[in-house]
Amino acid sequence: MEVKEEEILYFSNYKNTIYVHTKEGEFVLPTTLSDLFAAYESQGFERLDRSNVVNMNNINDYDAGRKIVHFQSGEQFATVSEANERRVQRLLAAVDKKP
């Protein structure tokens, strides 16, 4: 199955299995988060904690209290490590300033 980059919300690692979460569902990938981050970093993906790599272009908002980002699709979310909170806030502020 072919998935376009803009349809990817995030990649996650759960019990040594890598999943790609899209607007249409989730699928298993035979790779590592480090490899995915290296491949997608230039397309606006960021590693927000040790368990996920997030497409920052699909984030709707950040909940600082729960330390999660919400996606435009509404239902899905990804966690943010405490060390990456400021970076997420800066990235979202930069996106808001774009015309």
Side-chain angles (χ1 to χ4, degrees):
M1 179 173 186
E2 188 174 317
V3 178
K4 296 179 182 176
E5 292 164 5
E6 60 268 10
E7 294 176 10
I8 299 170
L9 301 176
Y10 66 107
F11 301 104
S12 68
N13 180 9
Y14 180 71
K15 294 187 177 183
N16 294 322
T17 302
I18 304 300
Y19 298 89
V20 58
H21 302 266
T22 70
K23 297 174 182 178
E24 302 301 320
E26 73 180 39
F27 310 95
V28 174
L29 291 177
T31 189
T32 67
L33 279 183
S34 295
D35 288 344
L36 288 168
F37 180 57
Y40 286 93
E41 182 178 16
S42 64
Q43 278 86 29
F45 285 70
E46 293 287 337
R47 189 153 191 177
L48 299 185
D49 68 13
R50 72 174 84 183
S51 299
N52 65 60
V53 172
V54 175
N55 184 347
M56 299 302 287
N57 299 313
N58 284 328
I59 289 179
N60 193 35
D61 71 334
Y62 173 62
D63 182 337
R66 294 175 58 202
K67 293 183 178 50
I68 58 174
V69 290
H70 294 275
F71 297 97
Q72 296 166 349
S73 63
E75 296 177 13
Q76 295 182 326
F77 64 90
T79 55
V80 177
S81 71
E82 198 169 310
N84 286 321
E85 282 186 277
R86 287 191 185 272
R87 190 171 74 172
V88 168
Q89 291 168 339
R90 281 194 309 268
L91 289 167
L92 290 175
V95 169
D96 287 341
K97 292 179 183 177
K98 289 182 180 178

